[in-house]
Amino acid sequence: VVLPERLVLRPARPDDVDQVAALLADRGDAADAVDLRLVVSDPDEGLSSCAVVVDGTQVVSTATLLRETLVVGGVEVSAGQVELVATRPGYEGQGLVRALMQWAHERSRARGDLVQIMIGIPYFYRQFGYAYAIPMPRWRAVDAVPPSDPHVVVRRATPGDIPAMRSLQDAAQAPATVRMPHSAACWRWLVARDGSTQWVAERDGSAVATGRSTPPDEGGALGELAAADAPAALSLVNHVRSIASSELVVAERPGTLAGDAVEPFLVPAESRADWYYARIERLGPLLERLAPVLLSRLAAAGLADRTHEVLLSSFRSHVRFSIGPHGMSPVVEGGPLQAPGSAGGSGVPPDALAPLLFGPEGAAGLAARLPDCYLGRQGELMAALFPPVAADLLTFYLPV
Ligand SMILES: CC(C)(COP(=O)(O)OP(=O)(O)OC[C@H]1O[C@@H](n2cnc3c(N)ncnc32)[C@H](O)[C@@H]1OP(=O)(O)O)[C@@H](O)C(=O)NCCC(=O)NCCS
């Protein structure tokens, strides 16, 4: 990416921070300025996680790459998330964010990330290799105020509550095949930032529920609800509802203790889900990382009695590997391969790869929907290796 003359892209320096904060507040929300300072002063992220484009001494565009871990079937996959993106009016449409995304992806690749996840404005990030891959929770209004347990006290969380909140979230995420917990750094920001309030509910001095809400004057949205029991979850919703200035919406979390407890108090779902973006730059290394997951799926499908040669082409490039009773081979990457079906393989277009690995449709569902996704003779194997999966992601920003 070539930047317009005079403009320079570089990591942020200490004396840029005020300007970056002002730019983010101007183009987004006042809370973004607070968030930026939390990120760049955190020992796990720091200033080098933020890049700027400058025109002389003026910061005209910025983006920040956060460290994340995606857990897929129990296997940890190092990931990146781009946040805090903005360009100064007058400098838009000149490729500055395109250049910053390239910087972020190079940094992400260099530190070993195999995936990038994002929450972003509609369509824009598709231009940089992202696909809509994972449904976000739907937000549903509280219909009837749930009862409060008189033995439960709800209060703002402090840093000392982080271990207890983390274990409540771990339990809530356990049923999901694909999950992204908050990083240690993100937990520090959540109890310090003012863009959302982190709540903890206690009974007899023990944390029994947690959740996070947007400021009451913004209407109130309560997400990331997790609880040890149903009365604790309901008490937390009751408390946040009592301080909301208007209708409270709650992020559904089906299959979790808290989500199922709150379900009867929510209006029926009417909105369709929004989606997280995900980006897979190279399929080969990711599949190698996920070998234990693929092997256990093969065994669960009763297909581990013989070795299978897998060919998966994304048309511009393809991968081959074998998988069977003796394990999984290294994944060999190759160039354009137009007709994988005639070679016994499957075709999956690049923008269906993240949905294939992390999404609710699986190989068979994608093949039923997309004309350029077809499984061919290895259809049964593809359906076994890439089933529909449920995901639960925790992100710095509530996906509201
Ligand atoms: C959205 C925003 C970040 C884009 O920044 P930018 O520096 O203008 O983006 P770029 O010029 O690098 O855009 C890359 C390409 O997308 C195009 N583009 C710009 N804004 C777009 C949009 N909203 N939707 C689709 N395409 C867009 C550009 O024209 C450019 O096209 P080209 O490479 O074919 O010439 C900027 O407009 C902004 O700060 N908006 C307000 C804050 C915001 O929405 N932040 C994003 C939060 S996720």
Side-chain angles (χ1 to χ4, degrees), residues 72 77 109 113-116 129 278-291 294 297 310-321 328-335 346-358 363 366 373 378 382 385-386:
V72 182
V77 178
R109 183 190 315 130
D113 294 347
L114 299 175
V115 182
Q116 288 82 32
R279 175 177 182 274
I280 297 174
E281 192 171 276
R282 277 174 62 202
L283 182 61
L286 178 59
L287 290 178
E288 283 187 357
R289 181 83 188 143
L290 295 178
L294 300 180
R297 288 177 183 165
V310 184
L311 165 62
L312 204 164
S313 176
S314 298
F315 305 106
R316 286 184 66 105
S317 66
H318 70 276
V319 296
R320 291 178 192 270
F321 60 96
M328 182 169 144
S329 71
V331 178
V332 178
E333 300 174 279
S346 306
V348 181
D351 57 354
L353 290 176
L356 178 76
L357 280 137
F358 310 131
L366 289 166
C373 181
Q378 61 180 16
M382 286 289 288
L385 295 179
F386 305 108

XYZ file of all heavy atoms in Angstrom, residues 72 77 109 113-116 129 278-291 294 297 310-321 328-335 346-358 363 366 373 378 382 385-386:
492
model
N -10.339 -23.482 20.179
C -11.172 -24.271 19.262
C -11.076 -25.726 19.687
O -10.006 -26.334 19.603
C -10.690 -24.104 17.806
C -11.590 -24.897 16.860
C -10.644 -22.639 17.410
N -5.508 -21.064 19.888
C -5.035 -20.492 18.632
C -4.786 -19.013 18.885
O -5.692 -18.275 19.278
C -6.098 -20.664 17.517
C -5.625 -20.022 16.232
C -6.434 -22.130 17.303
N 0.839 -11.528 12.011
C 1.520 -12.689 11.423
C 2.873 -12.905 12.087
O 3.234 -14.010 12.464
C 1.706 -12.439 9.922
C 2.324 -13.588 9.153
C 2.707 -13.163 7.729
N 1.661 -12.391 7.070
C 1.872 -11.215 6.458
N 3.069 -10.666 6.424
N 0.871 -10.574 5.890
N 0.151 -15.155 15.122
C -1.313 -15.294 15.094
C -1.732 -16.063 13.840
O -1.192 -15.831 12.751
C -1.998 -13.925 15.053
C -1.775 -13.125 16.325
O -1.309 -13.702 17.321
O -2.076 -11.911 16.301
N -2.714 -16.932 13.994
C -3.203 -17.718 12.854
C -4.574 -17.233 12.390
O -5.079 -17.692 11.363
C -3.282 -19.198 13.245
C -1.941 -19.831 13.660
C -2.140 -21.256 14.140
C -0.943 -19.785 12.509
N -5.168 -16.313 13.140
C -6.520 -15.822 12.848
C -6.601 -14.367 13.305
O -5.891 -13.965 14.239
C -7.574 -16.607 13.680
C -8.983 -16.143 13.355
C -7.464 -18.097 13.484
N -7.470 -13.590 12.656
C -7.853 -12.279 13.197
C -9.381 -12.240 13.335
O -10.094 -12.774 12.487
C -7.403 -11.127 12.275
C -5.901 -10.886 12.271
C -5.157 -11.825 11.339
O -5.674 -12.237 10.313
N -3.930 -12.176 11.698
N -9.849 -8.966 3.722
C -9.753 -10.411 3.930
C -10.642 -10.959 5.035
O -10.537 -12.135 5.372
N -14.099 -12.694 10.803
C -12.845 -13.416 11.069
C -12.045 -13.479 9.776
O -12.608 -13.415 8.668
C -13.125 -14.817 11.584
N -10.752 -13.579 9.927
C -9.844 -13.586 8.766
C -8.827 -14.697 8.942
O -8.206 -14.816 9.999
C -9.140 -12.230 8.697
C -8.075 -12.115 7.625
C -7.515 -10.695 7.638
N -6.514 -10.514 6.607
C -5.229 -10.801 6.760
N -4.783 -11.313 7.900
N -4.374 -10.586 5.779
N -8.709 -15.520 7.919
C -7.701 -16.585 7.914
C -6.777 -16.304 6.741
O -7.192 -16.391 5.583
C -8.352 -17.978 7.756
C -9.269 -18.265 8.956
C -7.278 -19.064 7.633
C -10.071 -19.546 8.825
N -5.547 -15.948 7.033
C -4.627 -15.592 5.956
C -4.093 -16.845 5.278
O -4.017 -16.916 4.059
C -3.482 -14.768 6.546
C -2.609 -14.102 5.533
C -1.659 -13.137 6.227
O -2.063 -12.002 6.499
O -0.511 -13.539 6.520
N -3.692 -17.831 6.095
C -3.189 -19.099 5.541
C -3.881 -20.243 6.257
O -3.791 -20.371 7.477
C -1.680 -19.199 5.747
C -0.881 -18.461 4.678
C 0.597 -18.490 5.024
N 1.128 -19.843 5.061
C 2.246 -20.181 5.727
N 2.924 -19.277 6.409
N 2.680 -21.427 5.705
N -4.539 -21.077 5.471
C -5.285 -22.187 6.050
C -4.348 -23.268 6.593
O -4.631 -23.877 7.630
C -6.214 -22.775 4.971
C -7.113 -23.919 5.389
C -8.068 -23.477 6.500
C -7.897 -24.442 4.186
N -3.215 -23.505 5.899
C -2.330 -24.622 6.248
C -1.897 -24.623 7.707
O -2.137 -25.601 8.439
N -1.246 -23.563 8.181
C -0.783 -23.560 9.567
C -1.928 -23.673 10.579
O -1.759 -24.272 11.645
C -0.074 -22.200 9.713
C 0.243 -21.780 8.315
C -0.811 -22.368 7.443
N -3.087 -23.128 10.238
C -4.220 -23.213 11.163
C -4.703 -24.669 11.258
O -4.961 -25.176 12.357
C -5.341 -22.282 10.696
C -6.607 -22.302 11.539
C -6.321 -21.903 12.987
C -7.667 -21.370 10.957
N -4.802 -25.333 10.121
C -5.236 -26.746 10.159
C -4.225 -27.594 10.934
O -4.611 -28.485 11.690
C -5.402 -27.292 8.740
C -6.583 -26.741 7.948
C -6.611 -27.337 6.540
C -7.913 -27.009 8.647
N -2.935 -27.303 10.751
C -1.929 -28.068 11.508
C -2.104 -27.856 13.003
O -2.012 -28.782 13.799
C -0.515 -27.661 11.075
C -0.146 -28.281 9.743
C 1.305 -28.044 9.342
O 2.039 -27.327 10.079
O 1.701 -28.567 8.288
N -2.379 -26.635 13.383
C -2.597 -26.331 14.791
C -3.820 -27.098 15.324
O -3.859 -27.510 16.487
C -2.798 -24.814 14.937
C -3.017 -24.338 16.315
C -1.699 -24.144 17.046
N -1.940 -23.857 18.447
C -1.194 -24.292 19.430
N -0.117 -25.022 19.188
N -1.473 -23.987 20.671
N -4.824 -27.217 14.460
C -6.078 -27.849 14.884
C -6.077 -29.364 14.686
O -7.113 -30.023 14.842
C -7.266 -27.236 14.126
C -7.522 -25.752 14.416
C -8.680 -25.232 13.576
C -7.806 -25.521 15.910
N -4.907 -29.935 14.376
C -4.829 -31.387 14.118
C -5.493 -32.218 15.219
O -6.266 -33.141 14.906
C -3.372 -31.800 13.907
N -9.209 -32.114 14.667
C -9.646 -32.819 13.451
C -9.566 -34.327 13.668
O -10.457 -35.076 13.249
C -8.783 -32.380 12.262
C -8.831 -30.878 11.938
C -7.941 -30.559 10.749
C -10.259 -30.415 11.653
N -12.471 -35.472 15.770
C -13.725 -35.469 14.990
C -13.773 -36.676 14.041
O -14.832 -37.286 13.849
C -13.847 -34.168 14.190
C -14.157 -32.975 15.082
C -14.206 -31.691 14.278
N -14.443 -30.538 15.150
C -14.250 -29.281 14.777
N -13.818 -29.007 13.554
N -14.496 -28.298 15.609
N -6.794 -35.609 1.940
C -7.730 -34.482 1.842
C -7.155 -33.429 0.896
O -5.984 -33.066 1.004
C -7.968 -33.840 3.234
C -9.009 -32.727 3.136
C -8.414 -34.890 4.244
N -7.992 -32.977 -0.021
C -7.633 -31.857 -0.901
C -8.711 -30.794 -0.740
O -9.898 -31.069 -0.904
C -7.577 -32.324 -2.368
C -7.575 -31.208 -3.425
C -6.336 -30.317 -3.293
C -7.641 -31.809 -4.829
N -8.268 -29.592 -0.368
C -9.223 -28.506 -0.165
C -8.695 -27.302 -0.941
O -7.616 -26.782 -0.630
C -9.287 -28.207 1.340
C -10.537 -27.553 1.898
C -10.558 -27.707 3.400
C -10.589 -26.097 1.516
N -9.430 -26.920 -1.969
C -8.968 -25.789 -2.774
C -9.839 -24.561 -2.542
O -11.067 -24.635 -2.548
C -9.012 -26.128 -4.271
O -8.634 -24.973 -5.004
N -9.149 -23.442 -2.352
C -9.855 -22.152 -2.299
C -9.664 -21.428 -3.623
O -9.732 -20.204 -3.678
C -9.339 -21.315 -1.137
O -9.586 -21.990 0.062
N -9.365 -22.205 -4.655
C -9.255 -21.761 -6.042
C -7.977 -20.960 -6.313
O -7.223 -21.319 -7.188
C -10.530 -21.019 -6.482
C -11.752 -21.875 -6.257
C -12.633 -21.604 -5.211
C -11.989 -23.007 -7.020
C -13.726 -22.439 -4.969
C -13.068 -23.850 -6.780
C -13.942 -23.560 -5.755
N -7.717 -19.906 -5.547
C -6.441 -19.183 -5.726
C -5.286 -19.950 -5.094
O -4.127 -19.680 -5.374
C -6.520 -17.798 -5.072
C -7.368 -16.799 -5.835
C -7.300 -15.446 -5.147
N -5.961 -14.897 -5.218
C -5.610 -13.907 -6.028
N -6.489 -13.358 -6.826
N -4.380 -13.452 -6.039
N -5.611 -20.820 -4.137
C -4.581 -21.624 -3.476
C -5.274 -22.874 -2.942
O -6.517 -22.930 -2.901
C -3.937 -20.844 -2.330
O -4.883 -20.611 -1.322
N -4.477 -23.861 -2.573
C -5.094 -25.078 -2.040
C -4.201 -25.698 -0.975
O -3.033 -25.308 -0.831
C -5.362 -26.080 -3.170
C -4.118 -26.678 -3.753
N -3.372 -26.048 -4.737
C -3.468 -27.842 -3.484
C -2.338 -26.804 -5.046
N -2.353 -27.893 -4.297
N -4.763 -26.642 -0.216
C -3.979 -27.396 0.764
C -4.266 -28.886 0.579
O -5.356 -29.274 0.126
C -4.294 -26.987 2.235
C -3.905 -25.546 2.505
C -5.758 -27.227 2.585
N -3.267 -29.698 0.940
C -3.417 -31.164 0.939
C -2.844 -31.697 2.233
O -1.805 -31.200 2.711
C -2.607 -31.799 -0.193
C -3.104 -31.540 -1.576
C -2.141 -32.220 -2.573
N -2.403 -31.769 -3.929
C -3.254 -32.344 -4.757
N -3.935 -33.411 -4.360
N -3.447 -31.882 -5.984
N -3.505 -32.685 2.809
C -2.943 -33.392 3.961
C -3.598 -34.767 4.038
O -4.632 -35.007 3.401
C -3.159 -32.609 5.270
C -4.594 -32.333 5.632
C -5.293 -33.167 6.508
C -5.267 -31.223 5.112
C -6.617 -32.913 6.852
C -6.598 -30.959 5.444
C -7.275 -31.809 6.318
N -2.179 -37.027 11.679
C -2.386 -36.108 10.552
C -1.021 -35.661 10.029
O -0.116 -35.341 10.808
C -3.201 -34.896 11.035
C -3.512 -33.890 9.951
S -4.737 -32.682 10.533
C -4.129 -31.211 9.713
N -0.878 -35.634 8.727
C 0.400 -35.246 8.109
C 0.561 -33.726 8.176
O -0.417 -33.012 8.421
C 0.401 -35.684 6.650
O -0.503 -34.856 5.925
N 1.765 -33.211 7.898
C 1.877 -31.769 7.691
C 0.955 -31.339 6.536
O 0.640 -32.157 5.663
C 3.351 -31.580 7.286
C 4.048 -32.773 7.850
C 3.054 -33.902 7.790
N 0.515 -30.092 6.570
C -0.370 -29.594 5.515
C 0.503 -28.955 4.435
O 1.300 -28.062 4.723
C -1.376 -28.569 6.085
C -2.260 -28.015 4.972
C -2.228 -29.217 7.179
N 0.359 -29.442 3.200
C 1.150 -28.917 2.082
C 0.307 -27.860 1.363
O -0.850 -28.110 1.009
C 1.530 -30.056 1.111
C 2.301 -29.498 -0.079
C 2.350 -31.112 1.840
N 0.893 -26.686 1.181
C 0.165 -25.593 0.532
C 0.583 -25.503 -0.928
O 1.756 -25.710 -1.259
C 0.485 -24.265 1.235
C 0.110 -24.253 2.703
C 0.571 -22.984 3.396
O 1.768 -22.899 3.763
O -0.253 -22.077 3.559
N -0.378 -25.183 -1.783
C -0.069 -25.036 -3.205
C -0.805 -23.847 -3.802
O -1.581 -23.180 -3.125
N -0.568 -23.611 -5.075
C -1.113 -22.433 -5.754
C -2.511 -22.671 -6.292
O -3.240 -23.525 -5.798
N -12.373 -30.925 -2.495
C -13.492 -30.015 -2.262
C -13.056 -28.589 -2.572
O -11.876 -28.243 -2.423
C -13.922 -30.047 -0.784
O -14.186 -31.365 -0.378
N -14.021 -27.771 -2.967
C -13.763 -26.355 -3.196
C -14.456 -25.531 -2.124
O -15.641 -25.738 -1.849
N -13.687 -24.653 -1.492
C -14.260 -23.728 -0.506
C -13.648 -22.360 -0.785
O -12.439 -22.199 -0.652
C -13.936 -24.155 0.949
C -14.559 -23.179 1.939
C -14.434 -25.566 1.233
N -14.446 -21.367 -1.204
C -13.867 -20.068 -1.553
C -13.223 -19.413 -0.331
O -13.601 -19.715 0.812
C -15.073 -19.265 -2.051
C -16.248 -19.913 -1.425
C -15.903 -21.371 -1.305
N -12.251 -18.518 -0.551
C -11.520 -17.931 0.579
C -12.431 -17.312 1.637
O -12.180 -17.454 2.833
C -10.654 -16.847 -0.079
C -10.517 -17.279 -1.498
C -11.751 -18.048 -1.853
N -13.513 -16.665 1.195
C -14.356 -15.998 2.185
C -15.304 -16.962 2.895
O -16.095 -16.547 3.743
C -15.124 -14.808 1.578
C -15.976 -15.206 0.401
O -15.899 -16.376 -0.031
O -16.730 -14.351 -0.098
N -15.203 -18.264 2.589
C -15.987 -19.248 3.353
C -15.092 -20.047 4.303
O -15.593 -20.924 5.016
C -16.738 -20.176 2.406
N -13.778 -19.777 4.300
C -12.878 -20.572 5.154
C -13.132 -20.306 6.639
O -13.217 -21.239 7.444
C -11.418 -20.298 4.801
C -10.984 -20.847 3.433
C -9.549 -20.437 3.128
C -11.141 -22.365 3.375
N -13.247 -19.033 7.032
C -13.509 -18.740 8.452
C -14.887 -19.264 8.867
O -15.013 -19.893 9.925
C -13.355 -17.250 8.732
N -15.935 -19.075 8.044
C -17.213 -19.715 8.389
C -17.096 -21.237 8.491
O -17.745 -21.853 9.335
C -18.134 -19.309 7.223
C -17.556 -18.028 6.712
C -16.071 -18.141 6.906
N -16.269 -21.855 7.643
C -16.108 -23.316 7.672
C -15.533 -23.762 9.022
O -15.968 -24.750 9.596
C -15.164 -23.743 6.540
C -14.834 -25.232 6.451
C -16.012 -25.999 5.852
C -13.583 -25.486 5.610
N -14.561 -23.024 9.527
C -13.878 -23.449 10.750
C -14.574 -23.004 12.021
O -14.490 -23.677 13.047
C -12.440 -22.920 10.729
C -11.588 -23.829 9.861
C -10.660 -23.077 8.973
C -10.834 -24.803 10.724
N -15.238 -21.848 11.974
C -15.738 -21.252 13.225
C -17.246 -21.033 13.238
O -17.774 -20.500 14.212
C -15.052 -19.905 13.470
C -13.557 -19.943 13.361
C -12.865 -19.006 12.589
C -12.825 -20.906 14.038
C -11.483 -19.046 12.487
C -11.430 -20.951 13.944
C -10.763 -20.015 13.163
N -19.353 -27.583 6.933
C -19.059 -27.788 5.504
C -20.340 -28.065 4.720
O -20.562 -27.503 3.644
C -18.080 -28.944 5.342
N -22.546 -24.904 4.303
C -21.982 -23.926 3.356
C -22.142 -24.427 1.922
O -22.458 -23.658 1.015
C -20.511 -23.669 3.681
C -20.273 -22.878 4.976
C -18.809 -22.962 5.413
C -20.683 -21.415 4.803
N -18.922 -23.412 -3.277
C -18.485 -24.321 -2.212
C -19.086 -25.688 -2.527
O -20.307 -25.829 -2.566
C -18.963 -23.812 -0.856
S -18.448 -24.866 0.512
N -15.324 -36.409 -1.308
C -14.922 -36.468 0.110
C -15.927 -35.733 1.017
O -15.573 -35.254 2.098
C -13.502 -35.926 0.296
C -13.328 -34.476 -0.104
C -11.900 -33.944 0.082
O -10.951 -34.690 0.231
N -11.775 -32.623 0.095
N -15.486 -34.293 4.811
C -15.517 -32.844 5.068
C -16.565 -32.499 6.131
O -16.326 -31.671 7.014
C -15.823 -32.084 3.767
C -14.673 -32.024 2.799
S -13.340 -30.935 3.376
C -14.100 -29.325 3.144
N -15.068 -33.493 9.477
C -13.957 -32.643 9.946
C -14.426 -31.230 10.278
O -13.855 -30.565 11.147
C -12.849 -32.573 8.881
C -12.126 -33.875 8.565
C -11.082 -33.653 7.470
C -11.459 -34.445 9.820
N -15.444 -30.765 9.545
C -15.883 -29.378 9.710
C -17.392 -29.332 9.976
O -18.181 -28.941 9.111
C -15.516 -28.557 8.468
C -14.045 -28.634 8.147
C -13.594 -29.350 7.043
C -13.114 -28.023 8.967
C -12.239 -29.438 6.761
C -11.756 -28.109 8.693
C -11.312 -28.825 7.588
